[in-house]
Every structure is written in structure tokens, then in C-alpha cells.
């Protein structure tokens, strides 16, 4: 620029540092949202693989290792790290707490709490995992419908019950064209 000593001078450190700061903030937010999106898309699949392995008779540690070997994305790498740390003798509490620091999302926290409760007290891991998978898959499907990403539902409101305030999908409908969840 031709301005002498002006704000548009290319060597103005304030302008350069402000631009770099804005770039870093937006870049960081973009990376966080992309990581969250990848998590939401692949975590239900990881749980499905885990439940299949547990149903087939594998131990929990073998099932976690199987998920890590099967999936080649960030969730698969986390499960592989969990399995490796468990094989090295770390306590499940420590391994799951470390994983929660890497994925501090409510779905993952609930999953780790479920695993810790199952390890310490036993229980119906298959049933709890099945319900968690169903909730996560339904949430993913509902989000796709809401955003119009699903090919079969260009109009989300069309698939819903006759109540104009209801935001639930056609899977929840009764014969009376009112869904079980809105009950209006």
C-alpha cells in the first residue's frame, strides 16, 4: 500500500497479530466442530461393533480391542489405545478417565459410566448398550431429517404427527396420527 505510516501498512504488527488471532480462533472452532461431527457419526457404529463382540461371547477387553482393530478412524484409535492400556495392566478406571478427557461428550461419558458400573458390579451390558445405541442412532437420524440430509424426507414436518408443535418423526406415530412423545 502507498500510505505512509497508516493502518494499512503491511508491516503493522497490530493488524497482523489481530488477523492471526482471528484465524486461530476460527480454525480452532472449526476443528472442534469437525471432531464432534466425526464423533457423532462414528461412535454409534463403534458401540454396535462392541455390542456384537460382547454378544458373540468376547470379554469386554477383547471387544474393546476388536473395535480398535476394526475401525480406522479417531474413535477406533481411541478404542485401540484403551485396549493397549488395559493389556499393559492399567486399571479400567484410569483408562476410562483418560478416554473421557479425549472425548468429553455426554454420550461418551455415559458409555464409560456404563462400562465402569458393569465392571464393578456386573449387570446387563448388552441391554444397556442396545438402548444407548438405539438412542444415538435415533438422534442421528432425527438430526439428518431435521437438516434435510435424508433422501426420503425432504419435509420433516410431513413425516410427523398432525400436531404442529411436535418435532418427532414418523417412527413414533400411533394410529391416531399423534405421536407417543408429544401426547398433545
Amino acid at each position: 500500500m502507498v500510505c505512509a505510516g497508516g493502518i494499512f501498512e503491511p508491516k503493522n504488527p497490530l493488524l497482523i497479530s489481530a488477523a492471526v488471532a482471528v484465524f486461530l480462533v476460527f480454525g480452532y472452532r472449526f476443528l472442534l466442530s469437525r471432531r464432534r461431527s466425526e464423533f457423532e457419526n462414528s461412535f454409534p457404529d463403534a458401540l454396535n461393533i462392541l455390542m456384537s463382540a460382547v454378544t458373540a461371547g468376547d470379554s469386554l477387553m477383547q471387544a474393546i480391542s476388536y473395535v480398535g482393530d476394526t475401525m480406522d478412524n479417531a474413535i477406533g484409535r481411541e478404542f485401540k489405545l484403551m485396549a493397549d492400556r488395559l493389556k499393559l495392566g492399567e486399571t479400567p478406571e484410569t483408562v476410562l478417565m483418560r478416554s473421557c478427557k479425549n472425548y468429553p461428550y455426554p454420550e461418551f461419558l455415559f458409555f464409560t459410566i456404563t462400562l465402569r458400573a458393569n465392571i464393578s458390579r456386573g449387570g446387563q451390558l448388552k441391554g444397556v448398550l442396545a438402548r444407548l445405541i438405539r438412542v444415538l442412532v435415533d438422534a442421528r437420524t432425527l438430526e439428518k431429517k431435521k437438516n434435510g440430509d435424508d433422501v426420503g424426507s425432504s419435509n420433516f414436518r410431513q413425516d410427523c404427527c398432525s400436531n404442529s408443535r411436535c418435532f418427532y418423526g414418523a417412527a413414533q406415530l400411533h394410529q391416531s396420527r399423534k405421536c407417543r412423545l408429544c401426547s398433545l
Side-chain angles (χ1 to χ4, degrees), residues 48-104:
N48 201 7
I49 293 169
L50 182 78
M51 191 178 81
S52 297
V54 169
T55 302
D58 287 346
S59 69
L60 187 57
M61 192 166 90
Q62 290 172 332
I64 289 172
S65 179
Y66 181 69
V67 172
D69 292 338
T70 304
M71 298 184 76
D72 55 340
N73 55 20
I75 294 294
R77 287 188 296 274
E78 185 64 33
F79 273 85
K80 182 126 179 94
L81 284 173
M82 288 169 55
D84 291 344
R85 289 184 294 213
L86 285 169
K87 287 177 187 174
L88 289 174
E90 285 188 43
T91 63
E93 298 280 329
T94 307
V95 171
L96 293 173
M97 283 187 350
R98 275 190 185 175
S99 293
C100 284
K101 288 179 183 176
N102 291 336
Y103 290 98

Short mmCIF file of all heavy atoms in Angstrom, two decimals, residues 48-104:
data_model
loop_
_atom_site.label_atom_id
_atom_site.label_comp_id
_atom_site.label_asym_id
_atom_site.label_seq_id
_atom_site.Cartn_x
_atom_site.Cartn_y
_atom_site.Cartn_z
N ASN A 48 -22.01 -50.41 18.24
CA ASN A 48 -22.65 -51.56 17.60
C ASN A 48 -21.66 -52.71 17.44
O ASN A 48 -21.99 -53.87 17.70
CB ASN A 48 -23.21 -51.14 16.24
CG ASN A 48 -24.27 -52.07 15.75
OD1 ASN A 48 -24.70 -52.98 16.46
ND2 ASN A 48 -24.72 -51.85 14.53
N ILE A 49 -20.43 -52.39 17.04
CA ILE A 49 -19.39 -53.42 16.92
C ILE A 49 -19.07 -54.00 18.28
O ILE A 49 -18.92 -55.22 18.44
CB ILE A 49 -18.13 -52.83 16.25
CG1 ILE A 49 -18.43 -52.46 14.80
CG2 ILE A 49 -16.96 -53.80 16.32
CD1 ILE A 49 -17.33 -51.64 14.14
N LEU A 50 -18.98 -53.14 19.30
CA LEU A 50 -18.70 -53.59 20.66
C LEU A 50 -19.79 -54.53 21.16
O LEU A 50 -19.50 -55.59 21.73
CB LEU A 50 -18.55 -52.39 21.59
CG LEU A 50 -18.21 -52.70 23.03
CD1 LEU A 50 -16.73 -53.02 23.15
CD2 LEU A 50 -18.56 -51.54 23.93
N MET A 51 -21.04 -54.16 20.94
CA MET A 51 -22.14 -55.00 21.39
C MET A 51 -22.16 -56.33 20.63
O MET A 51 -22.44 -57.37 21.22
CB MET A 51 -23.48 -54.30 21.22
CG MET A 51 -24.61 -55.06 21.93
SD MET A 51 -26.19 -54.29 21.82
CE MET A 51 -26.71 -54.81 20.22
N SER A 52 -21.84 -56.31 19.35
CA SER A 52 -21.79 -57.56 18.59
C SER A 52 -20.71 -58.49 19.14
O SER A 52 -20.93 -59.70 19.25
CB SER A 52 -21.51 -57.27 17.12
OG SER A 52 -22.55 -56.51 16.57
N ALA A 53 -19.56 -57.93 19.49
CA ALA A 53 -18.48 -58.74 20.04
C ALA A 53 -18.85 -59.30 21.41
O ALA A 53 -18.58 -60.46 21.71
CB ALA A 53 -17.20 -57.92 20.13
N VAL A 54 -19.48 -58.49 22.24
CA VAL A 54 -19.91 -58.95 23.56
C VAL A 54 -20.98 -60.02 23.42
O VAL A 54 -20.96 -61.04 24.12
CB VAL A 54 -20.40 -57.77 24.43
CG1 VAL A 54 -21.09 -58.25 25.68
CG2 VAL A 54 -19.23 -56.87 24.79
N THR A 55 -21.90 -59.84 22.49
CA THR A 55 -22.96 -60.83 22.25
C THR A 55 -22.37 -62.14 21.74
O THR A 55 -22.87 -63.22 22.08
CB THR A 55 -23.97 -60.28 21.21
OG1 THR A 55 -24.50 -59.05 21.71
CG2 THR A 55 -25.11 -61.24 20.99
N ALA A 56 -21.29 -62.06 20.97
CA ALA A 56 -20.66 -63.27 20.45
C ALA A 56 -19.87 -64.03 21.52
O ALA A 56 -19.39 -65.12 21.27
CB ALA A 56 -19.74 -62.92 19.29
N GLY A 57 -19.72 -63.43 22.69
CA GLY A 57 -19.06 -64.12 23.78
C GLY A 57 -17.68 -63.61 24.13
O GLY A 57 -17.02 -64.17 25.00
N ASP A 58 -17.23 -62.56 23.48
CA ASP A 58 -15.93 -61.99 23.82
C ASP A 58 -16.01 -61.27 25.17
O ASP A 58 -17.08 -60.77 25.56
CB ASP A 58 -15.47 -60.97 22.77
CG ASP A 58 -15.04 -61.62 21.48
OD1 ASP A 58 -14.83 -62.85 21.48
OD2 ASP A 58 -14.91 -60.89 20.47
N SER A 59 -14.88 -61.22 25.86
CA SER A 59 -14.84 -60.43 27.09
C SER A 59 -14.87 -58.96 26.72
O SER A 59 -14.67 -58.59 25.55
CB SER A 59 -13.57 -60.75 27.88
OG SER A 59 -12.44 -60.24 27.20
N LEU A 60 -15.08 -58.12 27.70
CA LEU A 60 -15.16 -56.69 27.44
C LEU A 60 -13.83 -56.17 26.88
O LEU A 60 -13.81 -55.36 25.95
CB LEU A 60 -15.55 -55.93 28.71
CG LEU A 60 -15.83 -54.45 28.56
CD1 LEU A 60 -16.93 -54.22 27.54
CD2 LEU A 60 -16.22 -53.86 29.90
N MET A 61 -12.72 -56.63 27.43
CA MET A 61 -11.41 -56.19 26.96
C MET A 61 -11.18 -56.64 25.51
O MET A 61 -10.66 -55.88 24.68
CB MET A 61 -10.30 -56.71 27.85
CG MET A 61 -8.98 -56.05 27.57
SD MET A 61 -7.77 -56.34 28.84
CE MET A 61 -7.02 -57.84 28.24
N GLN A 62 -11.56 -57.86 25.17
CA GLN A 62 -11.42 -58.34 23.80
C GLN A 62 -12.33 -57.55 22.85
O GLN A 62 -11.95 -57.26 21.72
CB GLN A 62 -11.76 -59.82 23.73
CG GLN A 62 -10.76 -60.72 24.38
CD GLN A 62 -11.25 -62.16 24.45
OE1 GLN A 62 -12.46 -62.41 24.51
NE2 GLN A 62 -10.31 -63.10 24.46
N ALA A 63 -13.52 -57.21 23.32
CA ALA A 63 -14.45 -56.46 22.49
C ALA A 63 -13.92 -55.05 22.22
O ALA A 63 -14.02 -54.55 21.09
CB ALA A 63 -15.82 -56.38 23.16
N ILE A 64 -13.34 -54.42 23.24
CA ILE A 64 -12.76 -53.08 23.05
C ILE A 64 -11.60 -53.17 22.06
O ILE A 64 -11.45 -52.32 21.17
CB ILE A 64 -12.31 -52.50 24.41
CG1 ILE A 64 -13.54 -52.13 25.24
CG2 ILE A 64 -11.42 -51.28 24.21
CD1 ILE A 64 -13.23 -51.72 26.66
N SER A 65 -10.78 -54.19 22.18
CA SER A 65 -9.67 -54.39 21.26
C SER A 65 -10.18 -54.64 19.84
O SER A 65 -9.61 -54.14 18.87
CB SER A 65 -8.81 -55.56 21.73
OG SER A 65 -7.75 -55.78 20.85
N TYR A 66 -11.25 -55.39 19.71
CA TYR A 66 -11.83 -55.69 18.40
C TYR A 66 -12.33 -54.41 17.72
O TYR A 66 -12.15 -54.22 16.52
CB TYR A 66 -12.96 -56.71 18.54
CG TYR A 66 -13.59 -57.09 17.24
CD1 TYR A 66 -12.90 -57.84 16.30
CD2 TYR A 66 -14.89 -56.70 16.94
CE1 TYR A 66 -13.48 -58.18 15.09
CE2 TYR A 66 -15.48 -57.03 15.75
CZ TYR A 66 -14.77 -57.78 14.82
OH TYR A 66 -15.35 -58.11 13.63
N VAL A 67 -12.96 -53.52 18.50
CA VAL A 67 -13.42 -52.25 17.93
C VAL A 67 -12.23 -51.44 17.44
O VAL A 67 -12.26 -50.86 16.35
CB VAL A 67 -14.24 -51.45 18.97
CG1 VAL A 67 -14.55 -50.05 18.46
CG2 VAL A 67 -15.53 -52.16 19.31
N GLY A 68 -11.16 -51.42 18.24
CA GLY A 68 -9.96 -50.69 17.83
C GLY A 68 -9.33 -51.25 16.58
O GLY A 68 -8.80 -50.51 15.75
N ASP A 69 -9.38 -52.57 16.41
CA ASP A 69 -8.81 -53.19 15.22
C ASP A 69 -9.70 -53.02 14.00
O ASP A 69 -9.21 -52.93 12.87
CB ASP A 69 -8.57 -54.69 15.46
CG ASP A 69 -7.48 -54.95 16.48
OD1 ASP A 69 -6.65 -54.05 16.70
OD2 ASP A 69 -7.48 -56.04 17.07
N THR A 70 -11.00 -52.97 14.21
CA THR A 70 -11.95 -52.92 13.10
C THR A 70 -12.09 -51.52 12.51
O THR A 70 -12.14 -51.36 11.29
CB THR A 70 -13.34 -53.42 13.57
OG1 THR A 70 -13.19 -54.72 14.11
CG2 THR A 70 -14.32 -53.44 12.43
N MET A 71 -12.17 -50.52 13.35
CA MET A 71 -12.42 -49.16 12.88
C MET A 71 -11.09 -48.43 12.67
O MET A 71 -10.23 -48.46 13.54
CB MET A 71 -13.28 -48.40 13.87
CG MET A 71 -14.65 -49.01 14.07
SD MET A 71 -15.70 -48.03 15.13
CE MET A 71 -16.14 -46.72 14.04
N ASP A 72 -10.97 -47.75 11.55
CA ASP A 72 -9.76 -46.97 11.31
C ASP A 72 -10.10 -45.48 11.19
O ASP A 72 -9.98 -44.87 10.15
CB ASP A 72 -9.01 -47.48 10.08
CG ASP A 72 -9.86 -47.53 8.84
OD1 ASP A 72 -11.09 -47.53 8.97
OD2 ASP A 72 -9.30 -47.55 7.73
N ASN A 73 -10.58 -44.95 12.30
CA ASN A 73 -10.83 -43.52 12.42
C ASN A 73 -10.45 -43.11 13.85
O ASN A 73 -9.82 -43.90 14.57
CB ASN A 73 -12.29 -43.17 12.10
CG ASN A 73 -13.27 -43.97 12.93
OD1 ASN A 73 -12.95 -44.51 13.98
ND2 ASN A 73 -14.50 -44.04 12.46
N ALA A 74 -10.78 -41.91 14.25
CA ALA A 74 -10.36 -41.42 15.57
C ALA A 74 -10.96 -42.25 16.70
O ALA A 74 -10.27 -42.54 17.69
CB ALA A 74 -10.77 -39.95 15.72
N ILE A 75 -12.20 -42.67 16.57
CA ILE A 75 -12.83 -43.49 17.61
C ILE A 75 -12.14 -44.85 17.67
O ILE A 75 -11.88 -45.38 18.76
CB ILE A 75 -14.34 -43.66 17.34
CG1 ILE A 75 -15.05 -42.31 17.47
CG2 ILE A 75 -14.97 -44.66 18.27
CD1 ILE A 75 -15.06 -41.75 18.86
N GLY A 76 -11.83 -45.43 16.54
CA GLY A 76 -11.13 -46.71 16.51
C GLY A 76 -9.76 -46.61 17.16
O GLY A 76 -9.35 -47.51 17.91
N ARG A 77 -9.05 -45.51 16.89
CA ARG A 77 -7.75 -45.33 17.53
C ARG A 77 -7.88 -45.17 19.03
O ARG A 77 -7.04 -45.67 19.79
CB ARG A 77 -7.04 -44.11 16.92
CG ARG A 77 -6.51 -44.38 15.52
CD ARG A 77 -5.67 -43.24 15.01
NE ARG A 77 -6.39 -41.99 14.84
CZ ARG A 77 -7.07 -41.67 13.76
NH1 ARG A 77 -7.13 -42.49 12.74
NH2 ARG A 77 -7.69 -40.51 13.68
N GLU A 78 -8.93 -44.51 19.49
CA GLU A 78 -9.14 -44.37 20.94
C GLU A 78 -9.44 -45.71 21.58
O GLU A 78 -8.92 -46.02 22.66
CB GLU A 78 -10.27 -43.37 21.22
CG GLU A 78 -10.47 -43.08 22.68
CD GLU A 78 -9.29 -42.40 23.33
OE1 GLU A 78 -8.60 -41.61 22.66
OE2 GLU A 78 -9.05 -42.66 24.53
N PHE A 79 -10.26 -46.52 20.94
CA PHE A 79 -10.54 -47.85 21.47
C PHE A 79 -9.28 -48.71 21.47
O PHE A 79 -9.06 -49.50 22.37
CB PHE A 79 -11.67 -48.52 20.68
CG PHE A 79 -13.04 -48.18 21.18
CD1 PHE A 79 -13.69 -47.03 20.77
CD2 PHE A 79 -13.69 -49.01 22.08
CE1 PHE A 79 -14.94 -46.72 21.24
CE2 PHE A 79 -14.95 -48.70 22.56
CZ PHE A 79 -15.58 -47.55 22.14
N LYS A 80 -8.45 -48.55 20.45
CA LYS A 80 -7.19 -49.30 20.40
C LYS A 80 -6.28 -48.88 21.54
O LYS A 80 -5.66 -49.73 22.19
CB LYS A 80 -6.50 -49.07 19.06
CG LYS A 80 -5.22 -49.83 18.89
CD LYS A 80 -5.27 -50.64 17.64
CE LYS A 80 -4.00 -51.39 17.41
NZ LYS A 80 -4.05 -52.72 17.94
N LEU A 81 -6.20 -47.58 21.80
CA LEU A 81 -5.41 -47.09 22.94
C LEU A 81 -5.96 -47.63 24.26
O LEU A 81 -5.19 -48.01 25.15
CB LEU A 81 -5.39 -45.56 22.97
CG LEU A 81 -4.49 -44.86 21.96
CD1 LEU A 81 -4.71 -43.37 22.01
CD2 LEU A 81 -3.04 -45.19 22.25
N MET A 82 -7.27 -47.64 24.38
CA MET A 82 -7.89 -48.18 25.60
C MET A 82 -7.51 -49.65 25.78
O MET A 82 -7.14 -50.07 26.88
CB MET A 82 -9.42 -48.04 25.53
CG MET A 82 -9.93 -46.63 25.69
SD MET A 82 -11.69 -46.42 25.30
CE MET A 82 -12.48 -47.59 26.35
N ALA A 83 -7.59 -50.41 24.70
CA ALA A 83 -7.26 -51.83 24.78
C ALA A 83 -5.79 -52.04 25.12
O ALA A 83 -5.44 -52.90 25.95
CB ALA A 83 -7.59 -52.52 23.46
N ASP A 84 -4.91 -51.25 24.52
CA ASP A 84 -3.48 -51.38 24.79
C ASP A 84 -3.16 -51.05 26.25
O ASP A 84 -2.37 -51.75 26.90
CB ASP A 84 -2.66 -50.49 23.86
CG ASP A 84 -2.69 -50.96 22.42
OD1 ASP A 84 -3.07 -52.14 22.18
OD2 ASP A 84 -2.34 -50.16 21.53
N ARG A 85 -3.79 -50.01 26.77
CA ARG A 85 -3.54 -49.64 28.17
C ARG A 85 -4.10 -50.69 29.12
O ARG A 85 -3.50 -50.97 30.17
CB ARG A 85 -4.13 -48.26 28.46
CG ARG A 85 -3.33 -47.15 27.79
CD ARG A 85 -3.85 -45.81 28.17
NE ARG A 85 -5.19 -45.66 27.64
CZ ARG A 85 -5.72 -44.54 27.22
NH1 ARG A 85 -5.04 -43.43 27.28
NH2 ARG A 85 -6.93 -44.49 26.73
N LEU A 86 -5.25 -51.28 28.77
CA LEU A 86 -5.79 -52.35 29.61
C LEU A 86 -4.88 -53.58 29.57
O LEU A 86 -4.67 -54.23 30.59
CB LEU A 86 -7.20 -52.73 29.15
CG LEU A 86 -8.31 -51.75 29.50
CD1 LEU A 86 -9.60 -52.11 28.77
CD2 LEU A 86 -8.55 -51.71 31.00
N LYS A 87 -4.32 -53.88 28.41
CA LYS A 87 -3.41 -55.02 28.29
C LYS A 87 -2.12 -54.80 29.07
O LYS A 87 -1.51 -55.75 29.55
CB LYS A 87 -3.07 -55.29 26.82
CG LYS A 87 -4.21 -55.91 26.05
CD LYS A 87 -3.84 -56.07 24.59
CE LYS A 87 -5.03 -56.54 23.78
NZ LYS A 87 -4.75 -56.57 22.34
N LEU A 88 -1.70 -53.53 29.19
CA LEU A 88 -0.49 -53.23 29.95
C LEU A 88 -0.71 -53.26 31.45
O LEU A 88 0.23 -53.15 32.22
CB LEU A 88 0.06 -51.86 29.54
CG LEU A 88 0.69 -51.78 28.16
CD1 LEU A 88 1.07 -50.35 27.83
CD2 LEU A 88 1.89 -52.69 28.08
N GLY A 89 -1.95 -53.40 31.88
CA GLY A 89 -2.24 -53.56 33.30
C GLY A 89 -2.80 -52.34 33.99
O GLY A 89 -2.95 -52.34 35.21
N GLU A 90 -3.11 -51.29 33.25
CA GLU A 90 -3.74 -50.13 33.88
C GLU A 90 -5.15 -50.52 34.33
O GLU A 90 -5.80 -51.37 33.72
CB GLU A 90 -3.83 -48.95 32.91
CG GLU A 90 -2.52 -48.26 32.68
CD GLU A 90 -2.69 -46.98 31.87
OE1 GLU A 90 -3.64 -46.22 32.15
OE2 GLU A 90 -1.87 -46.76 30.98
N THR A 91 -5.61 -49.89 35.37
CA THR A 91 -6.96 -50.19 35.85
C THR A 91 -7.99 -49.64 34.87
O THR A 91 -7.74 -48.61 34.22
CB THR A 91 -7.20 -49.57 37.24
OG1 THR A 91 -7.12 -48.14 37.14
CG2 THR A 91 -6.19 -50.08 38.25
N PRO A 92 -9.13 -50.29 34.77
CA PRO A 92 -10.17 -49.77 33.87
C PRO A 92 -10.61 -48.35 34.24
O PRO A 92 -10.93 -47.56 33.35
CB PRO A 92 -11.32 -50.77 34.05
CG PRO A 92 -10.67 -52.01 34.49
CD PRO A 92 -9.49 -51.60 35.30
N GLU A 93 -10.62 -48.03 35.54
CA GLU A 93 -10.99 -46.67 35.96
C GLU A 93 -10.07 -45.63 35.31
O GLU A 93 -10.53 -44.63 34.77
CB GLU A 93 -10.89 -46.56 37.48
CG GLU A 93 -11.81 -47.48 38.24
CD GLU A 93 -13.21 -46.94 38.31
OE1 GLU A 93 -13.37 -45.70 38.33
OE2 GLU A 93 -14.14 -47.76 38.34
N THR A 94 -8.76 -45.88 35.37
CA THR A 94 -7.78 -44.95 34.82
C THR A 94 -7.91 -44.85 33.31
O THR A 94 -7.87 -43.75 32.74
CB THR A 94 -6.35 -45.41 35.19
OG1 THR A 94 -6.28 -45.61 36.59
CG2 THR A 94 -5.32 -44.39 34.76
N VAL A 95 -8.06 -45.98 32.66
CA VAL A 95 -8.16 -46.00 31.20
C VAL A 95 -9.41 -45.23 30.76
O VAL A 95 -9.34 -44.41 29.83
CB VAL A 95 -8.20 -47.46 30.69
CG1 VAL A 95 -8.54 -47.51 29.22
CG2 VAL A 95 -6.88 -48.14 30.96
N LEU A 96 -10.53 -45.45 31.40
CA LEU A 96 -11.77 -44.79 31.01
C LEU A 96 -11.74 -43.30 31.33
O LEU A 96 -12.27 -42.49 30.57
CB LEU A 96 -12.96 -45.48 31.68
CG LEU A 96 -13.21 -46.91 31.20
CD1 LEU A 96 -14.30 -47.57 32.03
CD2 LEU A 96 -13.58 -46.94 29.73
N MET A 97 -11.09 -42.92 32.44
CA MET A 97 -10.98 -41.49 32.75
C MET A 97 -10.10 -40.78 31.73
O MET A 97 -10.41 -39.66 31.33
CB MET A 97 -10.44 -41.30 34.17
CG MET A 97 -11.48 -41.55 35.22
SD MET A 97 -11.07 -41.17 36.93
CE MET A 97 -9.37 -40.84 36.99
N ARG A 98 -9.03 -41.41 31.29
CA ARG A 98 -8.19 -40.82 30.25
C ARG A 98 -8.97 -40.65 28.94
O ARG A 98 -8.83 -39.64 28.25
CB ARG A 98 -6.98 -41.69 29.98
CG ARG A 98 -5.84 -41.45 30.88
CD ARG A 98 -4.63 -42.18 30.36
NE ARG A 98 -3.53 -42.08 31.27
CZ ARG A 98 -2.39 -42.71 31.11
NH1 ARG A 98 -2.22 -43.50 30.07
NH2 ARG A 98 -1.42 -42.57 31.97
N SER A 99 -9.75 -41.64 28.61
CA SER A 99 -10.54 -41.56 27.38
C SER A 99 -11.58 -40.46 27.47
O SER A 99 -11.88 -39.80 26.47
CB SER A 99 -11.20 -42.90 27.09
OG SER A 99 -10.23 -43.85 26.78
N CYS A 100 -12.13 -40.26 28.66
CA CYS A 100 -13.12 -39.19 28.82
C CYS A 100 -12.49 -37.81 28.63
O CYS A 100 -13.17 -36.87 28.22
CB CYS A 100 -13.76 -39.27 30.20
SG CYS A 100 -14.97 -40.57 30.34
N LYS A 101 -11.22 -37.69 28.93
CA LYS A 101 -10.54 -36.41 28.69
C LYS A 101 -10.37 -36.17 27.20
O LYS A 101 -10.41 -35.02 26.76
CB LYS A 101 -9.18 -36.39 29.39
CG LYS A 101 -9.30 -36.29 30.89
CD LYS A 101 -7.95 -36.28 31.56
CE LYS A 101 -8.13 -36.25 33.06
NZ LYS A 101 -6.83 -36.35 33.76
N ASN A 102 -10.20 -37.23 26.44
CA ASN A 102 -10.07 -37.08 24.99
C ASN A 102 -11.40 -36.81 24.31
O ASN A 102 -11.46 -36.13 23.30
CB ASN A 102 -9.43 -38.32 24.37
CG ASN A 102 -7.99 -38.48 24.76
OD1 ASN A 102 -7.32 -37.52 25.10
ND2 ASN A 102 -7.50 -39.71 24.74
N TYR A 103 -12.46 -37.40 24.83
CA TYR A 103 -13.81 -37.22 24.27
C TYR A 103 -14.77 -36.82 25.38
O TYR A 103 -15.51 -37.64 25.91
CB TYR A 103 -14.28 -38.52 23.61
CG TYR A 103 -13.54 -38.83 22.35
CD1 TYR A 103 -12.47 -39.73 22.35
CD2 TYR A 103 -13.87 -38.20 21.16
CE1 TYR A 103 -11.77 -39.99 21.19
CE2 TYR A 103 -13.17 -38.45 20.00
CZ TYR A 103 -12.12 -39.35 20.03
OH TYR A 103 -11.43 -39.60 18.87
N PRO A 104 -14.80 -35.54 25.73
CA PRO A 104 -15.65 -35.10 26.85
C PRO A 104 -17.10 -34.83 26.44
O PRO A 104 -17.69 -33.83 26.81
CB PRO A 104 -14.96 -33.81 27.30
CG PRO A 104 -14.38 -33.26 26.05
CD PRO A 104 -13.97 -34.46 25.23
#
